[in-house]
Amino acid sequence: MNYDFDALFALAKDCGFDETGMLDPSTLEFMPEVRDMCRSDKCHNYNRSWSCPPACGSLEDNAKRCKEYSTGFIVQVVARLEDEFDIETMMDAPKRFGACFLELSDKLKEMGLDILPMGAGGCTRCKKCTYPDEPCRFPDKLYSSMEASGLLVSKVCTDNNMPYYYGPNTIAYTGCILLK
């Protein structure tokens, strides 16, 4: 299928993303070391969410799923900090990313596109995940993070000619959307 990436990038910008770029799914490398970072549970979501390991599937499952997609694009929220102690902006940036990502994913699905969204951090659709006691409330809208899938975000960006670092006093949150 041919996609109008100019239109898709414009839609991403309308949803609030600051930067967009192309993604070649063949560049995606699923790394056990990244999954090991999840297992260390620094974000406090390991084994607590349908969108995080181990519930989000093995590296092999994620790699197989991604091979079904022919193209994609990267989206980023890039926050500019007033200074290195600008905690308010640091805390707001992931919330902004999550809201933008949900809006973009929903709009792409409403357009009838077959997408595989991978965000920055776990799914934020529900205030509290039902894992492991009940099934996911929105399995058709559930998404995992790039990291939970086993992807090193900086490498994905580098391999796809997309900046990962925007200079001093910036913080970037990166996700991607794969398209069939």
Side-chain angles (χ1 to χ4, degrees):
M1 180 175 215
N2 292 326
Y3 294 98
D4 180 351
F5 280 98
D6 289 335
L8 293 173
F9 290 172
L11 177 61
K13 296 271 185 168
D14 288 346
C15 291
F17 286 102
D18 299 307
E19 301 294 336
T20 57
M22 292 299 300
L23 171 67
D24 176 358
S26 71
T27 65
L28 300 180
E29 184 180 344
F30 299 84
M31 305 168 71
E33 310 87 83
V34 177
R35 187 53 76 83
D36 289 344
M37 287 189 278
C38 284
R39 199 171 292 111
S40 73
D41 199 27
K42 289 184 181 175
C43 72
H44 307 291
N45 282 328
Y46 185 81
N47 204 27
R48 290 181 185 88
S49 167
W50 288 111
S51 67
C52 293
C56 67
S58 69
L59 290 179
E60 294 78 18
D61 293 338
N62 286 303
K64 184 179 177 185
R65 190 175 315 123
C66 288
K67 284 184 190 218
E68 298 174 14
Y69 294 83
S70 63
T71 191
F73 61 103
I74 296 170
V75 291
Q76 293 177 325
V77 163
V78 180
R80 313 260 180 243
L81 309 176
E82 288 182 25
D83 57 43
E84 61 191 73
F85 303 107
D86 184 359
I87 302 300
E88 185 176 314
T89 302
M90 287 181 208
M91 300 299 283
D92 182 61
K95 291 177 189 170
R96 188 174 133 219
F97 178 93
C100 296
F101 200 73
L102 288 176
E103 182 180 355
L104 178 61
S105 296
D106 288 348
K107 286 183 177 185
L108 293 171
K109 286 185 181 206
E110 288 168 12
M111 293 167 57
L113 298 180
D114 189 346
I115 65 169
L116 177 59
M118 290 183 275
C123 184
T124 59
R125 202 163 287 280
C126 301
K127 281 191 177 198
K128 179 159 177 29
C129 186
T130 60
Y131 182 84
D133 301 320
E134 296 177 34
C136 176
R137 291 179 191 97
F138 304 102
D140 58 327
K141 295 181 177 184
L142 175 69
Y143 66 89
S144 292
S145 71
M146 293 176 71
E147 294 91 346
S149 299
L151 302 172
L152 185 60
V153 177
S154 60
K155 183 174 180 354
V156 172
C157 289
T158 300
D159 290 348
N160 288 278
N161 302 309
M162 183 81 181
Y164 175 74
Y165 177 65
Y166 287 86
N169 292 333
T170 63
I171 188 166
Y173 284 85
T174 304
C176 65
I177 307 279
L178 298 183
L179 301 157
K180 280 215 172 161

